[in-house]
Amino acid sequence: MTRKRVRSKKGWSARFAAPSDEHTVHGVKRLSYDNFLTPAVGALLFSRDGGLSTMGPADPTAEAIRSRVERFTDVALPEHVPETVWRMFEVAKGAMVYGLFFYPLYTLGEDHLSRLFEWMVKDQYEKRRGAKSGNLKAMVQWLIKNGRFPDQLEVRWLATYEIRNLVSHPTMQQITDPAQASRTLHQMRGLVVHFYGESREGDAAT
């Protein structure tokens, strides 16, 4: 598996329309050809550092867009992680990047990270215990009991399991904000690195 990181040297020159009077149905932006690249009002209320503005959304300048895009694209995995892990993480991260234009994509990205959590729990359980995976909660509890998570905060990882259940069996549509999405992305990167190691010889720097 070969992955090359390509960094553009050319700045983004596009102009983005200022969001105003978004056409929404049940609180969700109704996408059209005219507005699909118009930044969402809610996304612009949050700074790169997660602060929420009370002064209204930022102007959609190239720098304002860049800071909100790079908040997610700057979070990278080591190159050597299992391909499934790498792909699932990148799909989730990509959805969060485009939440800038369609706000619910922050939620879809976070939901996909819950599926990544499930995949990694099963993978680690099978490797560590040498048994086939079964009940997800029991596997999470076994990994906690045997010190396989990066800390002993049992409540954190059981809560992550419960969130995965809500994603798999939703009772209502949840909406995640970009600050929460970013925190979850960083948390999941930390778990990936804990399970599969920070780097190996030949890996690109992250």
Side-chain angles (χ1 to χ4, degrees):
M1 176 178 59
T2 302
R3 310 187 191 103
K4 293 183 178 179
R5 187 175 289 113
V6 178
R7 184 177 294 276
S8 174
K9 295 182 180 179
K10 187 176 181 180
W12 184 256
S13 61
R15 294 180 180 274
F16 294 94
S20 63
D21 300 326
E22 288 185 339
H23 185 193
T24 63
V25 178
H26 301 299
V28 177
K29 178 180 177 181
R30 172 167 280 180
L31 292 172
S32 68
Y33 176 78
D34 293 323
N35 72 8
F36 79 101
L37 284 181
T38 300
V41 171
L44 291 177
L45 288 173
F46 287 85
S47 70
R48 177 188 172 95
D49 297 326
L52 181 61
S53 171
T54 59
M55 304 297 291
D59 291 333
T61 62
E63 183 54 36
I65 299 301
R66 177 188 293 276
S67 68
R68 287 159 177 79
V69 168
E70 292 184 343
R71 178 180 192 177
F72 297 99
T73 59
D74 283 350
V75 185
L77 292 180
E79 295 290 317
H80 70 268
V81 302
E83 184 170 358
T84 297
V85 171
W86 194 88
R87 286 177 179 271
M88 292 183 75
F89 188 87
E90 289 297 314
V91 168
K93 182 171 74 175
M96 291 175 176
V97 170
Y98 283 95
L100 177 63
F101 303 103
F102 186 62
Y103 200 87
L105 286 176
Y106 292 122
T107 303
L108 293 184
E110 192 173 56
D111 288 354
H112 202 56
L113 290 178
S114 293
R115 298 182 182 96
L116 173 57
F117 174 77
E118 178 179 359
W119 190 96
M120 291 193 296
V121 165
K122 291 179 178 179
D123 181 56
Q124 292 297 306
Y125 180 85
E126 291 180 359
K127 286 179 178 177
R128 304 296 183 181
R129 193 169 187 183
K132 287 292 184 182
S133 58
N135 178 273
L136 183 61
K137 185 175 183 179
M139 289 187 288
V140 170
Q141 290 173 326
W142 187 90
L143 290 172
I144 292 172
K145 181 180 178 180
N146 287 273
R148 298 303 180 181
F149 281 105
D151 53 51
Q152 294 304 310
L153 296 177
E154 179 177 353
V155 65
R156 171 185 293 178
W157 304 112
L158 288 176
T160 304
Y161 157 76
E162 294 293 347
I163 290 171
R164 171 266 178 196
N165 272 1
L166 290 175
V167 169
S168 299
H169 310 287
T171 57
M172 63 180 294
Q173 177 64 63
Q174 303 291 331
I175 297 295
T176 297
D177 64 61
Q180 176 59 44
S182 178
R183 286 192 293 269
T184 303
L185 188 68
H186 280 276
Q187 179 186 22
M188 202 55 59
R189 183 198 183 275
L191 189 58
V192 171
V193 168
H194 174 77
F195 281 154
Y196 301 104
E198 178 66 55
S199 63
R200 292 178 183 170
E201 187 176 352
D203 281 349
T206 58

